[in-house]
Amino acid sequence: LLSLFFSVIAVMEPLYDYTWETTKKTGVDLIIALDTSKSMYASDISPSRFERSRLEIKNLIQSLEGDRVGLILFTSNALTQCPLTVAYNAFSLFLDEAEIGLLPKGGTSLVSAIEKACDSFDTKYKKDRVLMIVTDGETHDMDLDSALKKASEAGIRIFCVGLGSKEGVP
């Protein structure tokens, strides 16, 4: 009887001397700025710089948990394609709709992407703010320093992902 009693107790897996602890996850606000200039058509990276960018961004989104993500498309102008959201499926739909030539002006302006991101982050939340710029590196900006200073003052960390080969293609 005694062994049966202790077997039942063991199956119930009793806990003793434990405490409940509540933790808050703050998360990250991540805005991805994707270059949609015509130079992203280049196929030095298979299938093209732009398509490779979209595939890699989708892979990144699959690894996020509870972080908000937004999408900015830019050439010489910038457009918020998807505001900050935790709805990763909605983000993927907006990413799938992104195309080269969606914005009317050509060229590449990192300043427009940085300034649009500064305006897109929510200041009422105390989260880490990250801007990831995905581009082939070509830019036509003269005033990049002031945009970087504005982002720094807003507490935005900027990471650049460059695409392309050293040799390049026409």
Side-chain angles (χ1 to χ4, degrees):
L1 277 169
L2 206 52
S3 66
L4 180 65
F5 173 75
F6 284 117
S7 297
V8 169
I9 296 289
V11 168
M12 292 176 20
E13 296 180 13
L15 300 174
Y16 63 93
D17 195 30
Y18 66 92
T19 58
W20 290 97
E21 187 176 315
T22 305
T23 59
K24 279 188 172 182
K25 182 178 178 187
T26 57
V28 173
D29 280 350
L30 169 66
I31 291 182
I32 299 171
L34 178 59
D35 186 353
T36 58
S37 64
K38 291 183 181 174
S39 61
M40 294 292 280
Y41 272 131
S43 59
D44 52 346
I45 296 177
S46 179
S48 71
R49 293 175 182 174
F50 183 73
E51 289 303 320
R52 175 58 57 193
S53 299
R54 290 202 315 190
L55 292 171
E56 295 301 329
I57 291 169
K58 285 182 183 181
N59 288 339
L60 171 68
I61 297 307
Q62 290 175 356
S63 67
L64 298 179
E65 292 180 10
D67 300 317
R68 295 191 313 166
V69 64
L71 179 64
I72 292 175
L73 304 179
F74 72 97
T75 57
S76 57
N77 296 4
L79 167 75
T80 301
Q81 178 78 352
C82 178
L84 287 168
T85 183
V86 292
Y88 301 132
N89 290 336
F91 177 87
S92 291
L93 288 174
F94 282 110
L95 183 60
D96 289 339
E97 292 299 315
E99 293 179 12
I100 293 175
L102 187 67
L103 297 173
K105 292 175 108 178
T108 303
S109 172
L110 296 177
V111 170
S112 66
I114 294 169
E115 288 177 348
K116 181 61 84 171
C118 288
D119 296 339
S120 298
F121 281 109
D122 225 344
T123 56
K124 66 181 176 180
Y125 296 110
K126 300 244 182 215
K127 291 186 170 194
D128 288 331
R129 296 179 185 99
V130 176
L131 170 62
M132 185 172 80
I133 301 173
V134 181
T135 183
D136 58 3
E138 181 183 17
T139 185
H140 303 289
D141 292 319
M142 298 297 177
D143 197 25
L144 190 58
D145 290 336
S146 66
L148 292 172
K149 184 177 179 185
K150 180 180 178 183
S152 176
E153 289 170 355
I156 299 170
R157 286 189 256 168
I158 300 175
F159 297 92
C160 291
V161 178
L163 295 161
S165 64
K166 288 183 181 181
E167 300 81 33
V169 294

